[in-house]
Amino acid sequence: MAAAAAGAEEEAAAATTTTAEEERRREGARESEGECGDEGDSDSSADGEDEEKENEAEIQRLEEQLSINAFDYNCHLDLIKLLRQEGELVKLRRARQKMSELFPLTEEIWLDWLKDEIRMASESTDREKVYELFERAVKDYICPEIWLEYAQYSIGGIGQEGGIEKVRSIFERALTAVGLHVTKGTAIWEAYREFENAILETVQPAAGSIPSPEQQQTLCAQLEKIHTLFRRQLGLPLLDMEATYAEYEEWSEDPIPEAVIKNYKKALQQMEKSKPYEEALLVAETPKLAEYQAYIDFEMKAGDPARIQLIYERALAENCLVPDLWARYNQYLDRQLKVKELVLSAHDRAVRNCPWTVGLWNRYLLAMERHRVDHQIVSENFEKALNAGFIQATDYVEIWQAYLDYLRRRVDFTQDSSKELEELRSAFARAVDYLKQEVEERFSESGDPSCTIMQNWARIEARLCNNMQKARELWDSIMTKGNAKYANMWLEYYNLERAHGDTQHCRKALHRAVQCTSDYPEHVCEVLLSLERIEGTLEDWDAAVQKTENRLARVNEQRVKAAEKEAALVKQEEEKAEQRKQARAEKKASKKAKKMKPGDKRKVEDDDDGEWGQEEEAEQPSKRHKGDGDSTRAEEEVEDMEVETGLFGRSTPMRPAASSKQKEKAAASRKDTPRVLHDSAKDNVTVFVSNLSYSMADPEVKLKELFESCGEVVEIRPIFSNRGTFRGYCYVEFVDEKSALQALGLDRRIVEGRPMFVSPCVDKNKNPDFKVFRYSTALEKHKLFISGLPFSCTKEELEEMCKAHGNVKDIRLVTNRAGKPKGLAYVEYENEAQASQAVLKMDGLTIKENVIKVAISNPPLRKFPDKPEAGRASQSMVPRQIYGARGKGRTQLSMVPRALQRQSNLVTKAENGMVQNSPATSSAATEEPKKMSNADFARMLLEK
């Protein structure tokens, strides 16, 4: 106890002399600054003044930013850091106070704040303020370090009245809060025992003296306190339990009771079960969500509420900005523990950490109503929710609906009028105005296009208040907001009139519905006829039949006109497509005509309409990536633009002659290689690789080096054209399915300057429901879409800019099929809060003279044009030209103009289906005629 008392006195002395020491340090700092100023040059002092001015300007900017958006978490952190650096203690305390009112502070922020306040505390009144600050700190998160600091600080006030009991009370609260913490709880137990041992030293009788009965009683009571602490600790599964047990054996003069040993062994077994989860947390990287979730599931099966609560709190201390984790924790507390203070505290911390999540606010309102919190407090928290800054218009509709439900449950509808009913009606009116003005101004939409809030208001007026006139006024307002064209809206109103109104208003509503509905007019007409069949007179029936027939006739006429217009547009698009196709063909022909000179020899090409071409199409999977058609056309253009052979067999290529000859030899060797069709039975061990460079040399060798990292490769089969040139795609077959699945991870890998596409090898004809990987097209609140980036912007530069606003998990620069940047990017943050802050700070920034736009990723829905019918498509396709057995060959020396030569070389069909060459190519008649394909025979029969 003497050591503890001495420590307490030293701490108190240090607290009382803090101000004087600070003044001396400041004077010393000023003197040293003066000496350095005398010795240093003017540049260093100028630099210091510039830095101070920059900090002051930055502090002013941060304060202005917080005045605009008080929920900017990172801005609060930056401001506190700068103020602490500048020594602005008054402003620092104010900044921390404002941040703590909006957000629960992390352990590091609280410890810094507490240490600063402890250094400045000099009087007993200041000590009470520090106690209040500790009480606020332990409510934000369950942090062993803060509780330990709290207990140790309280020992400094042991000399005050009731000081020992206050210390014990704080220690007991600390044990309740964090005593079960497997890795850090032991420190609290040991500090508590050390304190009690210090008390024991003070009650020990002096050596050689005989204690009085009162002293003996006090001594025994103190010893029992320490025994109790040991026994309580040994019954809990904590780290280093063996050391605690050994310490107890050494300290205790009596043998350890059997009950304590039994509890110790039981706790030791439980510790062994928990150890794998603790070890997983120890080696895992932040945020450790999966590891914590596994630990939570383990504790949920065990069913100890205190341990479940503690593991949830540990997970939230490291993942305080994960709304789903807060939602699961609050759900557990609402359904299992149901302790008012504990439940409401958790809900309050949840909305302070994640104020942008409307679901947490809804659960908080329900929890306050469930625990009968004062109506004024509920209303104040609802107003905080409205100012939380939701990122969707529908979120405001949801929070308004939750609050209106709460107000409705407070009303006693057996009374004709009450204060609660008037408050409910005024809240409905305010909600409608708020969505129309505030929300629509911010999001360009109210978030409630079908007017669900007004519908609920009308139902309450009609069913609970018996005020059908007010309900009709509300429905009239609903219909004027663009809902009159929807049949379901009219039928909803009709059902309300049917239940609480009269037949006259039902008939009037259905007549208006028949006139206005544009989506399902037949259904509305049927309801009107059903009403008149049951309750109407003959005149009512005749009027209904006439009205419905006229309306349906107009609807059918409009639909016919719309169909004709659509058909005309489709025909117009087809004509435009045909014109573009003809223009491309003419342009292509003109380019060829310019390159060919009289006397040149045309390169001999293989027949494009033979069985080889069919095999190639069979080898290609039915599922193609977007843009495959464009790449095929590009390939054909490259092949058609090859430089032709000169008069003496020498070519004039753009590349060196040696490499060209090597390519020709390689192509010739591949041309003679027999084609092997893909075996669909091996789809599970095969991947399809596309978008490769056509100029890739030895694709088998190049790709084998790449894919061998995924597993043993059986075969790499590149696909070549009839002339032996690489088509840009291939099949890669592995030994097992695991390697094929791992190879899918190489998708979008850059190979020779182009992104390589790797997809599963699946036949869409056999598996029509199969879908390849697609990036998400739904709203992702934690991901940003950035446009307007300079093409020279790299991933590293963008990451450096984005990580200043939060933890960046992934960055994807959007490129075209050739790997060239498109000035777009997706940036994924760890949570929604960081993404929201990044939008506020980065939108409109200038990067390399480009102004970027930043928004939450929410891609618009794609509108796919209707596919033309198969028959129509097959008719519009131009049949390939059929050449002779030697293809599009020419004689060695040609003196005939090219245009006349094409006319003289046109092929003709014989009666037996064989191709007959013209006299100009009679020298080729002795060669073996070309084999006919199924398509050739079908075309021949049609021509007959």
Side-chain angles (χ1 to χ4, degrees), residues 35-59:
E35 292 174 0
C36 293
D38 294 338
E39 295 176 358
D41 54 11
S42 59
D43 292 340
S44 60
S45 60
D47 292 340
E49 292 177 0
D50 292 341
E51 184 179 357
E52 186 177 352
K53 290 180 180 179
E54 289 178 2
N55 290 340
E56 290 177 358
E58 181 65 13
I59 290 172

Side-chain angles (χ1 to χ4, degrees), residues 587-625:
K587 186 176 180 181
K588 193 174 177 181
S590 63
K591 287 183 178 179
K592 284 187 177 181
K594 290 179 181 179
K595 287 193 174 184
M596 295 181 184
K597 296 181 180 180
D600 284 353
K601 175 184 174 183
R602 182 189 294 253
K603 194 178 205 179
V604 179
E605 297 178 349
D606 292 330
D607 187 4
D608 290 342
D609 198 23
E611 294 177 350
W612 289 89
Q614 293 178 3
E615 289 179 1
E616 288 173 7
E617 290 184 4
E619 288 171 341
Q620 297 181 23
S622 55
K623 178 67 178 178
R624 292 188 177 183
H625 290 281

Side-chain angles (χ1 to χ4, degrees), residues 28-177:
R30 285 194 291 267
E31 291 175 2
S32 61
E33 286 177 2
E35 292 174 0
C36 293
D38 294 338
E39 295 176 358
D41 54 11
S42 59
D43 292 340
S44 60
S45 60
D47 292 340
E49 292 177 0
D50 292 341
E51 184 179 357
E52 186 177 352
K53 290 180 180 179
E54 289 178 2
N55 290 340
E56 290 177 358
E58 181 65 13
I59 290 172
Q60 185 176 359
R61 186 192 69 79
L62 292 172
E63 290 175 344
E64 292 175 356
Q65 180 69 25
L66 289 175
S67 65
I68 299 172
N69 180 17
F71 289 91
D72 192 334
Y73 188 87
N74 292 328
C75 194
H76 280 286
L77 293 180
D78 295 341
L79 179 60
I80 290 173
K81 183 179 178 180
L82 270 178
L83 290 174
R84 196 162 191 250
Q85 179 181 336
E86 291 295 313
E88 297 283 348
L89 300 180
V90 177
K91 289 185 178 180
L92 177 61
R93 181 181 292 171
R94 191 186 306 127
R96 284 167 168 165
Q97 182 69 27
K98 288 182 178 179
M99 185 177 182
S100 66
E101 292 172 359
L102 296 174
F103 304 101
L105 304 185
T106 62
E107 177 184 332
E108 294 78 10
I109 298 176
W110 271 121
L111 289 175
D112 289 341
W113 190 358
L114 290 167
K115 290 175 182 177
D116 290 344
E117 293 293 341
I118 289 172
R119 283 197 297 267
M120 291 186 291
S122 57
E123 301 177 0
S124 59
T125 55
D126 294 334
R127 176 171 285 274
E128 290 299 323
K129 291 180 181 179
V130 175
Y131 281 140
E132 293 176 2
L133 199 61
F134 269 114
E135 289 295 330
R136 290 172 55 190
V138 297
K139 289 179 181 178
D140 275 357
Y141 297 106
I142 293 182
C143 297
E145 287 82 0
I146 294 179
W147 275 110
L148 188 59
E149 189 75 22
Y150 190 10
Q152 290 175 346
Y153 179 73
S154 66
I155 295 175
I158 198 172
Q160 299 177 355
E161 183 179 356
I164 294 178
E165 294 303 320
K166 185 178 182 65
V167 174
R168 284 175 175 160
S169 172
I170 292 173
F171 267 118
E172 287 294 335
R173 290 173 57 199
L175 292 180
T176 304

Side-chain angles (χ1 to χ4, degrees), residues 268-508:
L268 200 60
Q269 292 175 356
Q270 190 173 358
M271 180 61 205
E272 290 299 321
K273 295 179 182 178
S274 303
K275 187 174 291 185
Y277 299 98
E278 292 292 343
E279 292 174 351
L281 288 174
L282 191 63
V283 299
E285 297 181 357
T286 306
K288 308 179 183 179
L289 274 175
E291 289 78 13
Y292 272 119
Q293 188 58 52
Y295 206 165
I296 290 171
D297 295 339
F298 165 73
E299 294 293 356
M300 291 285 281
K301 291 179 182 178
D304 187 347
R307 296 186 63 80
I308 294 172
Q309 180 197 356
L310 181 62
I311 190 59
Y312 263 120
E313 290 287 353
R314 287 177 60 185
L316 289 167
E318 296 190 41
N319 300 276
C320 59
L321 300 179
V322 180
D324 291 341
L325 188 59
W326 281 109
R328 292 195 294 271
Y329 181 40
N330 290 336
Q331 185 181 48
Y332 171 76
L333 295 178
D334 288 334
R335 296 180 178 179
Q336 301 297 328
L337 295 186
K338 301 180 182 179
V339 180
K340 178 179 178 180
E341 291 75 13
L342 183 62
V343 170
L344 294 181
S345 172
H347 279 287
D348 180 67
R349 288 184 291 140
V351 296
R352 287 169 64 200
N353 272 292
C354 308
W356 64 88
T357 306
V358 68
L360 296 178
W361 286 103
N362 289 342
R363 292 185 180 91
Y364 192 15
L365 293 179
L366 289 172
M368 287 188 288
E369 182 183 4
R370 197 176 291 119
H371 292 281
R372 305 185 184 281
V373 176
D374 185 70
H375 173 61
Q376 182 66 28
I377 298 176
V378 177
S379 299
E380 290 174 358
N381 279 286
F382 169 70
E383 295 297 332
K384 290 180 181 179
L386 289 182
N387 297 322
F390 300 130
I391 61 177
Q392 291 186 105
T394 53
D395 292 344
Y396 287 94
V397 179
E398 193 174 341
I399 191 63
W400 266 111
Q401 192 59 64
Y403 183 60
L404 292 169
D405 292 344
Y406 158 73
L407 293 178
R408 195 266 306 164
R409 288 189 285 267
R410 296 182 68 245
V411 178
D412 182 7
F413 289 100
T414 59
Q415 302 178 8
D416 293 337
S417 179
S418 63
K419 179 182 177 181
E420 289 80 7
L421 179 59
E422 294 304 319
E423 184 179 5
L424 175 63
R425 283 172 171 162
S426 63
F428 267 115
R430 184 190 168 198
V432 173
D433 292 339
Y434 187 91
L435 294 177
K436 182 179 179 181
Q437 297 175 5
E438 301 289 337
V439 178
E440 194 166 349
E441 180 180 351
R442 179 180 172 187
F443 296 97
S444 301
E445 60 167 332
S446 67
D448 191 16
S450 57
C451 301
T452 54
I453 288 181
M454 294 184 70
Q455 288 188 46
N456 291 333
W457 188 5
R459 293 188 191 101
I460 291 173
E461 293 289 353
R463 297 176 184 176
L464 302 177
C465 301
N466 298 320
N467 189 355
M468 197 62 203
Q469 182 60 34
K470 179 64 176 178
R472 293 187 184 111
E473 292 175 2
L474 290 170
W475 268 105
D476 185 66
S477 177
I478 291 171
M479 291 305 180
T480 59
K481 295 181 182 297
N483 293 302
K485 59 185 177 180
Y486 300 116
N488 65 318
M489 301 296 288
W490 284 108
L491 295 179
E492 188 72 28
Y493 174 41
Y494 165 74
N495 291 331
L496 190 67
E497 283 285 0
R498 193 77 171 149
H500 308 284
D502 52 52
T503 306
Q504 180 182 357
H505 283 91
C506 288
R507 182 177 291 111
K508 183 178 179 181

Side-chain angles (χ1 to χ4, degrees), residues 483-491 509-525 551 555 558:
N483 293 302
K485 59 185 177 180
Y486 300 116
N488 65 318
M489 301 296 288
W490 284 108
L491 295 179
L510 289 177
H511 275 275
R512 289 179 61 193
V514 170
Q515 189 69 26
C516 301
T517 301
S518 60
D519 54 352
Y520 298 105
E522 294 88 351
H523 188 39
V524 176
C525 292
R551 175 59 177 162
V555 169
Q558 292 172 357

